[in-house]
Amino acid sequence: GDEVKRARDMKEEPNLTSREILMAVEETPSFFDFLAYMNFAGSSISGPWLEYKDLMQLYRKEGHYKNID
């Protein structure tokens, strides 16, 4: 859908890695989503070790997290 189209559009930017394209944030996070990311237990101990987009997919059970029970 839209994520694939955006990734395709971003591929034209030669300085982006495939990981940067995959983890690109398409929309400005809400205050509470950003706060959740900044205060995530794992991140508060060792710094942000999850990408913002990855953490939001985990919370919302989207992407490769959609089959987690």
Side-chain angles (χ1 to χ4, degrees):
D2 291 333
E3 186 172 324
V4 172
K5 181 184 179 300
R6 179 160 171 83
R8 208 176 305 126
D9 292 342
M10 291 179 77
K11 285 181 184 175
E12 295 173 8
E13 177 64 40
N15 297 327
L16 296 177
T17 65
S18 58
R19 179 169 178 79
E20 290 171 331
I21 292 169
L22 180 65
M23 292 296 162
V25 178
E26 290 95 17
E27 58 189 39
T28 303
S30 73
F31 173 76
F32 294 109
D33 283 347
F34 182 73
L35 194 62
Y37 175 69
M38 294 304 294
N39 292 303
F40 178 63
S43 295
S44 64
I45 294 169
S46 63
W49 53 276
L50 280 175
E51 297 282 349
Y52 172 79
K53 185 174 182 178
D54 201 34
L55 183 64
M56 291 299 107
Q57 287 179 344
L58 173 64
Y59 285 162
R60 296 174 183 144
K61 291 188 176 180
E62 298 172 346
H64 57 275
Y65 297 107
K66 65 182 170 186
N67 296 323
I68 293 177
D69 292 326

